Amino acid sequence: MRMTERKRMMRLVPIIGVAVALAIGYWIGQLRDDGLAAQGVSPTMAMERDYYVPNTEDLASDEMRVIACGTGMPTTRAAQAAACFLVELGNGDKFLFDIGSGSAERISSLQIPYDYLDKLFIGHLHADHFGALGELFIGGMLMGRHVPLRIWGPTGPVPELGTAYAVDKMVEMYTWDLAGRQGMIDTRGLQTEVTEFDYRGENHVVYQVNGVTIRAWPAIHAIDGPVSYSLEWNGLKFVFSSDTYPNTWFNEYALDADLAIHECFIAVPALVTKMGFTPETALLVGTQIHTAPEAFGKVMSTIQPRMAVAYHFFKDFDTTSDVYERIRKTYDGPLSLAEDFMVWNVTRDTIRVRMAVVEEHTWSPALASPPNPPDMADRAAMSQRLGWEIGYSDFIRNGAFDVDDVLRPIYEEASRVLGREFPYPERNR
Ligand SMILES: [Zn+2]
Ligand SMILES: [Zn+2]
């Protein structure tokens, strides 16, 4: 009797099993449907995407947005520009930290009015940290900066190794460029204002305006001169090492950082296999001049930021895991391995990390101030300085091929289309 009941029960097991499986399947299906509905998934409606498209999101009044405009190395490559980070604040202020080679193109892709990009802080004067200064200076002016470019940076042990010397000589290098533009365009943006501060200052304030405090302290890199920075605003703290060997100043003054960006050099084996360094040079550069990944991790374990950002390595499919695993030997906190166009939205409660999707075929962004008409007084002043009247000599002018017959109609067309007279400039020939 008992056996018969048991057999009957046993026969029911598969039926009960199927019923339970169906119920669970239905329940999961319901959950999934609810989840999809909550995400707004639909075959016809637009769906939210998890990336940042410049100029499509307001910055909240208490929010900081940081965009990597260069994360690479001194050797140039299309995939990564050299060091440059943009900090945007909810009070409207924007700051550039370093302007490494190739970063000017990244900045232009963000389509930010150039009047807003007038504050640059340089950590040290290696080309991969200020090599695109000329493009920001000249190109930024051509794309709408009508105010001087303001630059902050350290002194050197002698004047020739300081920021002011480097900027002065850059402007001097562009003498022909600047001469050729006088009297042709609005040249208010062709001015630089350099604030040089003592590279030995320890956590000293180098900028304090509009609730924003920027401090600097010494970095250890190559020779005397480099510095690291912090920017504090609205209870948020951004830190940028530029380049440095691990140091006690950073450990102390980067404490409490919300976003701590510190160099993290490519691992030594890759310096040998991919850069062609000898083992001796790779060990020296990869561990003594720069911060090795294992040492980066140790720094971050010391300061414990809300988000650690490693940059200054070529981030490829066959290098990233090595850098990551080496960092993880010494640090297990929040970590971003930076690449160009990585974006961090920082508030007191959250740090959102995304990639930006940007337009490459950009033109000038919107103007934040109207341009002035060209002023021939600019040309007169520079002519006097050069002791030569800016323009064409008779010798060069006489070499012009006469194409007046095809150019004159362009002026006539403009006059007709725009409804006012544009006289043909006979004087240029
Ligand atoms: Zn450097
Ligand atoms: Zn560097």
Side-chain angles (χ1 to χ4, degrees), residues 97-99 120-126 129-130 152-155 163 197 199 217 219 221 225-229 240-243:
F97 286 86
D98 282 352
I99 184 82
L120 167 66
F121 289 76
I122 296 175
H124 70 295
L125 295 163
H126 267 151
H129 293 258
F130 88 121
W152 285 258
T155 56
T163 305
F197 55 83
Y199 75 92
W217 58 83
H221 178 61
V227 299
S228 301
Y229 291 105
F240 175 60
S241 73
S242 197
D243 280 356

Side-chain angles (χ1 to χ4, degrees), residues 72-74 83 124 126 128-129 221 242-243 263 265 290 311-312:
M73 295 179 42
H124 70 295
H126 267 151
D128 59 317
H129 293 258
H221 178 61
S242 197
D243 280 356
E263 72 139 299
F265 217 63
H290 288 282
Y311 88 102
H312 217 309

Side-chain angles (χ1 to χ4, degrees), residues 228-240:
S228 301
Y229 291 105
S230 69
L231 180 155
E232 288 172 273
W233 167 77
N234 193 41
L236 299 175
K237 183 170 177 179
F238 159 93
V239 171
F240 175 60

Side-chain angles (χ1 to χ4, degrees), residues 364-429:
S364 298
L367 296 179
S369 63
N372 280 348
D375 187 348
M376 289 306 283
D378 291 347
R379 180 176 285 210
M382 190 149 181
S383 295
Q384 191 170 17
R385 186 161 73 78
L386 293 171
W388 181 77
E389 193 179 338
I390 292 171
Y392 294 128
S393 64
D394 287 342
F395 168 70
I396 293 299
R397 186 179 285 113
N398 289 337
F401 175 31
D402 186 350
V403 288
D404 277 355
D405 58 330
V406 293
L407 299 186
R408 199 179 295 278
I410 298 173
Y411 275 69
E412 291 165 1
E413 181 189 3
S415 303
R416 193 170 61 250
V417 170
L418 297 173
R420 60 191 171 99
E421 188 61 21
F422 294 94
Y424 193 67
E426 310 285 352
R427 62 186 167 79
N428 276 352
R429 290 199 53 251

Side-chain angles (χ1 to χ4, degrees), residues 195-395:
T195 305
E196 204 179 63
F197 55 83
D198 191 341
Y199 75 92
R200 293 163 301 187
E202 297 178 77
N203 207 31
H204 61 155
V205 173
V206 296
Y207 177 97
Q208 195 159 42
V209 181
N210 203 18
V212 181
T213 301
I214 298 178
R215 297 170 186 271
W217 58 83
I220 302 176
H221 178 61
I223 56 173
D224 266 34
V227 299
S228 301
Y229 291 105
S230 69
L231 180 155
E232 288 172 273
W233 167 77
N234 193 41
L236 299 175
K237 183 170 177 179
F238 159 93
V239 171
F240 175 60
S241 73
S242 197
D243 280 356
T244 191
Y245 183 83
N247 67 76
T248 52
W249 292 293
F250 195 92
N251 289 353
E252 184 175 353
Y253 305 132
L255 274 177
D256 305 321
D258 294 280
L259 197 70
I261 302 176
H262 194 289
E263 72 139 299
C264 172
F265 217 63
I266 194 84
V268 167
L271 286 175
V272 176
T273 57
K274 290 178 175 291
M275 300 279 284
F277 284 15
T278 64
E280 289 80 7
T281 307
L283 284 164
L284 184 65
V285 173
T287 71
Q288 305 299 309
I289 309 287
H290 288 282
T291 296
E294 294 89 335
F296 169 91
K298 203 166 175 188
V299 171
M300 290 304 165
S301 285
T302 305
I303 68 164
Q304 300 197 346
R306 283 176 68 205
M307 176 61 72
V309 180
Y311 88 102
H312 217 309
F313 60 95
F314 280 169
K315 193 180 174 188
D316 294 345
F317 74 94
D318 56 349
T319 58
T320 306
S321 61
D322 192 23
V323 169
Y324 179 80
E325 282 160 18
R326 286 167 184 269
I327 291 173
R328 285 309 189 199
K329 287 180 187 172
T330 51
Y331 173 66
D332 62 2
L335 174 67
S336 302
L337 298 183
E339 58 188 276
D340 290 12
F341 292 126
M342 194 172 276
V343 182
W344 298 264
N345 284 73
V346 184
T347 66
R348 289 183 199 186
D349 301 323
T350 60
I351 297 180
R352 185 181 187 189
V353 188
R354 292 174 292 172
M355 292 299 298
V357 174
V358 298
E359 178 59 70
E360 291 188 349
H361 296 257
T362 50
W363 295 61
S364 298
L367 296 179
S369 63
N372 280 348
D375 187 348
M376 289 306 283
D378 291 347
R379 180 176 285 210
M382 190 149 181
S383 295
Q384 191 170 17
R385 186 161 73 78
L386 293 171
W388 181 77
E389 193 179 338
I390 292 171
Y392 294 128
S393 64
D394 287 342
F395 168 70

